[in-house]
Amino acid sequence: MDDIYLIIIIVLGLLAMGDLIVGVSNDAVNFLTSAVGSKAIPFKYIMILASLGIALGALFSSGLMEVARKGIFNPGEFYFDEIMMIFTAVMLTDILLLDFFNTLGLPTSTTVSIVFELLGAAVFMSIIKIGNSSGDFTELLNYINTSKAIQIILGIILSVVIALTIGAIVQWICRLILTYEFDKNKNWVTALFGAIALASITYFILIKGIKGTPFSDSKFELLGGVKIVEFIETDYIKIIISNFFLWFGLSFIFIKFLKFNIYKIIIGTGTFALALAFAGNDLVNFIGVPIAAYQSYQAWIVSGIGPNEFNMAILASKVSTPSLLLVFSGLVMVLTLWFSKKAKSVLKTSLDLSNQRNVRERFQPNFISIFLVKSFQSLNKVFINVIPKKTLEIIENRFSGSNKILKISDENEVPSFDMVRASVNLIVASVLISIATSYKLPLSTTYVTFMVAMGTSLADRAWGSDSAVYRVAGVVNVISGWFLTALIAFFVSGVIV
């Protein structure tokens, strides 16, 4: 009987490799869209920066796979054989579900999929246990961490609305100030934008990259002998101010004396930062369950107790993942990034929906997209009638030249959008994710990065009168897929259990 569980552990290890591949294929859109879409940096350099971010993020993840062990269910309510059934169902569902979305070329959330798979498997297993013991189904609350599930659902809804809205507002303001002729602005204006952008992104790296790593508890005399994580949390105002002035000075030097394109630096830094955050925080989605299963097996095999008698309360404690596993996982993710064709398919969906030009529309209009477009067109007419004509003329002049990128003769070299929008995408996504992380709010990096890109596209007038119904239909399809992810993940993993 012991052999069957060893076989399950081996199978889960193989599934983890497959899950890393399908997961990266879907989540690559999070950190590649801005750089690839703007064509600010040659593709091979984008891939190198993203690969370095992934490799470093995997090492910084620290391996504390809490969500897989106790984030969704209470492990002390289950026995070893039940836990192994839950973990096996989760991994089978996850790899099939993510590959399904990759085949469709639709970005979805690996965080939401793993959470609802764990929730579904644990709920169905709890129902089986309650039914076998002739218990009351109100006892289900003892088995499941219901507050976490509610937080995730609210996180989905809020991240969609907030990211879209803030992305649109920030892009509109930046475009109004910088215009489409952004390369002709005064040096201090460009340096100011560069300082805000780079300060936001580097602070984001501090929040997402250092917190939760083994280095976060390190103490340095330079910081007054306090831990790094404590210094970041208590002196964040000093960090933000000094960070801003440092980057303003550097940006001005880069622009004025070294003649660097600051937008390329922003895009390169932002791509690295988001890739690092992805690997550091989403690695749990791919290897958390197999590692939790392996640690459960190690604890059970030395106990000498039957699999249906060994209580899994041990999973409630913190256990770090061996560094060798993190290095191997990072290597698999980097190789997937370079060679996955499905990653390019998912990326193309996001780029087409945010393209400044007219492209071959993939999605057909539906009643929701037609209703939304007509509603916003009516609202826009109200604003036009209220705003003074002179103000409207000024705004129109600032937004003129939106078709500038169309003047490039080589079709293959035409970017989907310019470097200002690419920079705003990275800045807003970085800030929103870092704020949510600092307040320990549930958030999907996929939802944030995608909806920010859609918001900036809307503000940048990429959705014209002809293409709007198609683009909005595409966004509606993607969002519908996100909710479908949760439902499929829940029920399929439960049925497998």
Side-chain angles (χ1 to χ4, degrees):
M1 188 64 180
D2 294 0
D3 292 341
I4 187 64
Y5 292 110
L6 179 59
I7 292 171
I8 290 174
I9 292 298
I10 294 171
V11 170
L12 287 177
L14 295 173
L15 288 175
M17 287 185 61
D19 211 29
L20 281 168
I21 293 169
V22 296
V24 174
S25 296
N26 197 278
D27 278 2
V29 66
N30 297 351
F31 48 86
L32 291 181
T33 300
S34 296
V36 173
S38 64
K39 295 188 181 294
I41 307 170
F43 185 72
K44 66 177 181 179
Y45 295 125
I46 295 171
M47 296 295 282
I48 291 170
L49 283 170
S51 298
L52 290 173
I54 287 176
L56 195 60
L59 289 174
F60 278 8
S61 67
S62 80
L64 297 178
M65 308 296 178
E66 300 304 303
V67 69
R69 291 200 297 268
K70 62 177 182 178
I72 305 303
F73 56 83
N74 299 317
E77 299 293 333
F78 298 94
Y79 295 106
F80 175 70
D81 59 339
E82 297 165 343
I83 283 289
M84 294 303 288
M85 291 180 194
I86 289 173
F87 287 158
T88 303
V90 166
M91 290 305 295
L92 287 171
T93 305
D94 200 54
I95 196 168
L96 292 173
L97 180 61
L98 293 180
D99 190 60
F100 171 71
F101 275 91
N102 289 345
T103 303
L104 294 178
L106 295 176
T108 191
S109 171
T110 55
T111 302
V112 169
S113 63
I114 199 74
V115 164
F116 277 89
E117 285 152 6
L118 285 165
L119 182 61
V123 165
F124 277 65
M125 180 58 76
S126 303
I127 291 172
I128 293 170
K129 286 171 64 69
I130 294 170
N132 288 340
S133 63
S134 301
D136 190 338
F137 284 100
T138 56
E139 296 175 14
L140 186 62
L141 297 176
N142 298 330
Y143 295 88
I144 307 301
N145 189 344
T146 52
S147 61
K148 186 68 174 181
I150 293 171
Q151 281 185 329
I152 292 292
I153 294 170
L154 291 176
I156 295 173
I157 299 170
L158 290 175
S159 62
V160 168
V161 177
I162 292 173
L164 178 71
T165 305
I166 294 181
I169 293 171
V170 174
Q171 176 62 33
W172 191 85
I173 294 171
C174 289
R175 186 64 73 189
L176 187 67
I177 296 171
L178 299 172
T179 76
Y180 284 94
E181 305 287 339
F182 56 89
D183 51 339
K184 296 180 180 178
N185 287 320
K186 292 182 179 180
N187 290 338
W188 71 268
V189 174
T190 307
L192 182 62
F193 180 79
I196 295 171
L198 291 168
S200 302
I201 293 170
T202 50
Y203 184 72
F204 164 76
I205 294 175
L206 287 175
I207 293 294
K208 295 289 283 183
I210 294 179
K211 290 180 73 173
T213 70
F215 306 103
S216 63
D217 291 329
S218 301
K219 296 181 179 180
F220 295 96
E221 292 298 327
L222 184 65
L223 304 180
V226 300
K227 295 178 181 179
I228 292 178
V229 65
E230 293 174 353
F231 179 76
I232 292 173
E233 290 175 348
T234 56
D235 292 333
Y236 63 92
I237 294 178
K238 290 181 182 177
I239 295 174
I240 291 171
I241 294 173
S242 58
N243 198 22
F244 169 77
F245 282 107
L246 171 66
W247 281 114
F248 180 77
L250 289 175
S251 296
F252 192 82
I253 292 171
F254 290 155
I255 298 164
K256 178 71 174 177
F257 302 106
L258 301 179
K259 306 301 180 184
F260 286 175
N261 187 329
I262 197 67
Y263 296 101
K264 291 185 177 182
I265 296 174
I266 294 168
I267 293 167
T269 306
T271 300
F272 171 81
L274 283 178
L276 181 140
F278 155 71
N281 294 273
D282 289 0
L283 187 58
V284 61
N285 301 340
F286 315 127
I287 67 172
V289 167
I291 287 173
Y294 177 66
Q295 292 168 343
S296 301
Y297 177 78
Q298 284 182 313
W300 167 72
I301 202 71
V302 299
S303 68
I305 303 174
N308 60 341
E309 297 174 344
F310 184 67
N311 186 277
M312 294 310 301
I314 190 173
L315 288 180
S317 59
K318 289 187 177 182
V319 184
S320 295
T321 304
S323 297
L324 188 61
L325 281 177
L326 298 177
V327 172
F328 178 75
S329 300
L331 178 62
V332 172
M333 289 194 289
V334 169
L335 291 174
T336 301
L337 184 66
W338 281 88
F339 298 108
S340 174
K341 291 183 179 179
K342 290 186 177 180
K344 295 178 177 65
S345 174
V346 179
L347 180 62
K348 187 177 186 302
T349 298
S350 183
L351 289 175
D352 285 349
L353 290 175
S354 56
N355 205 307
Q356 194 76 26
R357 301 175 295 135
N358 291 322
V359 297
R360 184 178 179 181
E361 302 295 348
R362 173 182 166 186
F363 300 95
Q364 294 301 313
N366 52 49
F367 74 95
I368 297 176
S369 67
I370 293 171
F371 170 76
L372 288 174
V373 170
K374 287 185 176 179
S375 298
F376 280 104
Q377 284 176 339
S378 300
L379 187 63
N380 186 51
K381 288 179 181 178
V382 173
F383 280 113
I384 289 175
N385 292 330
V386 172
I387 298 173
K389 286 187 177 181
K390 283 191 176 181
T391 304
L392 285 173
E393 288 176 4
I394 293 171
I395 293 173
E396 286 300 317
N397 288 333
R398 303 297 290 180
F399 275 81
S400 63
S402 61
N403 62 347
K404 182 182 177 182
I405 58 174
L406 300 177
K407 298 176 182 178
I408 300 175
S409 57
D410 187 350
E411 182 69 19
N412 294 324
E413 293 300 319
V414 178
S416 300
F417 40 80
D418 66 8
M419 287 185 278
V420 170
R421 198 192 326 164
S423 300
V424 172
N425 286 343
L426 293 165
I427 298 165
V428 176
S430 299
V431 170
L432 288 179
I433 295 170
S434 62
I435 290 173
T437 302
S438 64
Y439 285 101
K440 298 181 179 179
L441 298 175
L443 198 68
S444 167
T445 53
T446 300
Y447 295 168
V448 170
T449 53
F450 179 82
M451 293 311 298
V452 165
M454 295 305 101
T456 57
S457 303
L458 176 64
D460 231 13
R461 302 183 180 183
W463 298 353
S465 56
D466 295 329
S467 63
V469 288
Y470 297 97
R471 304 285 176 91
V472 174
V475 175
V476 170
N477 273 275
V478 172
I479 294 174
S480 300
W482 295 345
F483 287 96
L484 194 62
T485 298
L487 292 174
I488 294 175
F490 182 89
F491 286 106
V492 172
S493 61
V495 169
I496 292 175
V497 163

